[in-house]
Amino acid sequence: MASTQSAPVPTGSPVADAPVPDEPAKRRSAFRVDRYATLLFFALFFVVVGISKGSAFLSWDNFSLVLADNANVAILAAAATITLVAGQFDLSVGAVAGLSSVLASHFVIEAGTPPLVTVLLILALGVAAGLLNAFLVAVANVNAFVATLGTGGLFSGVALWVSGGESIFGEMPKSFTDAGTTSLAGVPLPIVFVIAIGLGLWTLTRRTVVGRFWYAVGANPEASGLAGVRVRRVTTYAFIATSVLAALAGLLASARFGSADPAAGPDLLLPAFAGAFLGSAILSDGRFTVVGSLLAASLIVLATNGLDVMGVNFAVKPMFNGAVLVGAVALTEYLRRRSGRRSLIPKAT
Amino acid sequence: MVTSIEHPSAPHRDAAPLLSIAGLRKSFGSTPVLRGIDFTARAGQVHGLLGTNGAGKSTMIKVLAGHHDADAGTIDVRDHRQVDSVGRIGVVHQDLALVDALTVRDNFHLSRRGGLTRAGLVDVRRERGAVTNALRAVNLDLDPETPLSELTLGTKSLLAVARLLANDADVLLLDEVTAALTRRESSWLLTEMRRLADEGRAVIVVSHRLHEIVEFCDEVTLLRDGSVAYAGPTPDLRGLHAMFESGGARPAREAGAEPRTGPVALRLDTVSRGEVGPIDLTVRRGEVVSVVGALSSGLYELGHLAAAATKPASGRRALSGREPGTPARCGFVPEDRKALGILPRLDVAANLTISAERRVFPRLWAGPASERRSVDVVMDDLSVHPRDPTMKIEDLSGGNQQKVLMGRTQLLDPDLLVLCEPTRGVDVGTRHAIYEYIESARASGAAILVVTIDVDDALAVADRVVVIESGSITSTHHRDEVDPVALLEKVS
């Protein structure tokens, strides 16, 4: 047997640590330039439209009108963001908003339901839709992409059925339409609602345990589960929050316009997701944030209004939204690869 | 019974070097991982590459496999038939890079070259011939159309080797491939590797099973903290073991210290699930029990069952809290830090507090002030570096990520701690910090279960060592009665 001493003969000489260039710092500064480039693009576009069209575009009157008309898009972007934070997709948000708008109009116009009861019913609809999605995803383990694509079809179908495929018009109680059309200190109420929802959701996601858990489950569901987080329950809360917000978006739209179009819901999906992803790309390092989504969605609706004012064909609008969505994801993924981090965007399949 | 094995004097000491590494350096951020490695593997030689976790082995292999670029140093590979020309190095990783859902032939042609084609279509007949030929080189007789899922792990690993041979590898590197194999399979694989070396190739084997190293390797190189600590003929088993010990990886605790154990905290009563069980196991308060076993022994499944991370199919798990009626808390550090441990992209503070949210934030409101206080305490206790709770977790080194996972359990003030591979991939300093954490948790009355394939780890902290083989507990040893060498034999 060899003695213990004879064996180890050091041959390699340990060397003092060589100074290493501070790479992370360099990366971080490059990061910012890319992000601001996107914001700069929007700013330039606004300036160009502003110069050529003047106050028809670049004025408080126009901006507040556009933002109030599209408050439902901003709320829907925030709605989609909650499930994205928790690592899931909810493609049914547009359909839930559409159904909620149709039902709200149906209740107040055709059934004569008092406005307050209508609001409660719509909130209940949001909870029910969220529970259905959560059941499919968290209990039956159906991929969220597939599950919510399917339930979206269901919700759209119910909206068509209730409305008979026609837009719902008619006399609405003043207290109901006031919520969508009056102003508070010169700010249209829908914008006030968006700001209030933004503050509330910021608190919910960044200052409560549930919000923490959403981010944790979105970052690594297995690890969160092993660390003691009740993943199923937390995911369920996320789907409920998303659907309730989507329902509120639909409610606000019907109060604003005094009518409901059963086909409008699904068209809201693209700008909502574009807002969520653009917000994650330009206002944080690829992490989904509710406030980022609200701001980005507002940027997008203002830019689309800019296209309208410039007289661009209305068919360009969905193309623009699609380009923003894909561009935002490409930018996020590019930044992520350069910083060597894992993607936070939930996998669709 | 362990006997020292007389090793024949290495026959190929003067043969041509097929792999020569000189002055290899690599740092990640400001952490040097390889500090100037010199390494030579010769034709006809089976060379053991050794080192504890964090010594730099896997980084060195990743550089050789082309996954990382070196910061400095040279790597020279020669053709084993014609030493003047440049050769190829082939690496078999532990996961074998094979796809279970495909057939042997499909897997065989999953390489950069793609398959054998004619007019743009896969030439099935030629591919089958190529597979059969390559398999013959490792004495495998298999139908090329066999689904991979029907093969044993031993056969799969030989298949992975055959694939390298078909791609003209001159230097073959097996990266802990034997760890998941049974002893018989592993010795089958290594016998084939010996033969491939005798044909003039160079074979490098990375293994934690020291008896394999002694039996099959002509020479060994031992890495320690990114430098070569030993390079030369293979010593015998005790010599090898001593080499590891002198790395300072051994006990944090004085031998013979009286265990101060309390009542039983964790009780597993004929628990079983899948291939594991039935298991009976108790851990008392103030007691550290180590479970050691081979990778395929089901030890991590046992760890997950003990932590109630999985539910047993039958049997009962009971964990009692400090006082009757209060809920018992279990802290768990899983074996796979990256997949099961960290919450990527979240900051260190969020990663620390996730298990204990309700303790740290008793109300709905997660106030930054209360969070900061508890996070600060833990980061100081475990000396997490850099001491910045707002850093993203993945920007920390592996060792510091591990400290954060330990801190996660500390915040919980657990009744039971289940730690799977607590020191995997950490350096010697962190290893000691983790041993100290285990010791302080024990002293504060937690019951602790350490689950590891690393015998050094198991012995360093344990009052009792439990050996698991093929899903069952086969023996239990008091810490003073353990023969480390015998234990090593058992777990491999």
Side-chain angles (χ1 to χ4, degrees), chain B residues 43-124:
Chain B
Q45 195 184 55
V46 179
H47 197 119
L49 179 59
L50 310 173
T52 50
N53 297 327
K57 273 177 318 189
S58 38
T59 304
M60 176 169 157
I61 293 160
K62 279 179 184 150
V63 170
L64 287 175
H67 298 314
H68 289 328
D69 289 326
D71 297 337
T74 57
I75 299 170
D76 185 34
V77 186
R78 297 276 125 198
D79 190 317
H80 77 283
R81 291 200 183 82
Q82 208 178 345
V83 184
D84 300 339
S85 354
V86 173
R88 290 162 185 265
I89 184 159
V91 180
V92 185
H93 295 289
Q94 193 174 351
D95 62 13
L96 304 178
L98 297 172
V99 181
D100 262 355
L102 300 181
T103 64
V104 169
R105 175 169 63 86
D106 292 335
N107 268 289
F108 208 82
H109 293 97
L110 281 185
S111 66
R112 189 157 296 181
R113 284 182 192 180
L116 303 172
T117 55
R118 196 170 54 186
L121 297 176
V122 169
D123 187 340
V124 174

Side-chain angles (χ1 to χ4, degrees), chain B residues 162-370:
Chain B
R163 186 167 64 176
L164 292 183
L165 293 178
N167 288 327
D168 294 327
D170 303 290
V171 178
L172 297 164
L173 199 163
L174 302 192
D175 181 11
E176 304 206 17
V177 174
T178 57
L181 301 183
T182 66
R183 235 174 137 163
R184 252 184 55 208
E185 284 178 322
S186 142
S187 118
W188 172 36
L189 173 67
L190 290 172
T191 308
E192 284 303 320
M193 297 315 290
R194 170 87 260 166
R195 213 178 42 70
L196 292 171
D198 289 342
E199 289 174 10
R201 297 180 185 84
V203 173
I204 302 166
V205 175
V206 179
S207 170
H208 282 300
R209 298 173 163 184
L210 298 185
H211 68 90
E212 281 175 3
I213 299 289
V214 170
E215 193 177 342
F216 288 97
C217 295
D218 306 307
E219 292 197 10
V220 296
T221 295
L222 173 73
L223 299 188
R224 185 178 297 149
D225 289 335
S227 301
V228 176
Y230 170 81
T234 311
D236 71 5
L237 201 51
R238 277 178 199 282
L240 266 185
H241 195 75
M243 271 165 50
F244 274 95
E245 269 194 47
S246 56
R250 274 271 283 166
R253 218 159 122 207
E254 287 136 47
E258 266 310 299
R260 300 174 294 275
T261 56
V264 170
L266 173 74
R267 188 186 295 280
L268 296 183
D269 189 7
T270 58
V271 161
S272 65
R273 181 191 168 93
E275 306 285 302
V276 175
I279 300 257
D280 287 296
L281 182 67
T282 56
V283 187
R284 293 174 172 279
R285 294 193 164 282
E287 184 186 35
V288 183
V289 175
S290 288
V291 175
V292 276
L295 260 186
S296 55
S297 65
L299 78 168
Y300 301 135
E301 286 80 357
L302 173 55
H304 284 238
L305 284 167
T310 52
K311 287 200 179 87
S314 67
R316 219 174 76 83
R317 166 198 184 265
L319 175 63
S320 22
R322 239 148 247 181
E323 287 133 37
T326 58
R329 288 181 299 270
C330 171
F332 182 43
V333 175
E335 66 280 6
D336 186 339
R337 179 162 61 232
K338 204 170 160 199
L340 305 177
I342 63 165
L343 305 170
R345 282 218 157 178
L346 300 194
D347 59 20
V348 169
N351 268 280
L352 272 171
T353 53
I354 186 73
S355 287
E357 287 284 4
R358 283 193 184 75
R359 289 178 60 79
V360 182
F361 316 118
R363 284 170 217 291
L364 189 70
W365 188 265
S370 61

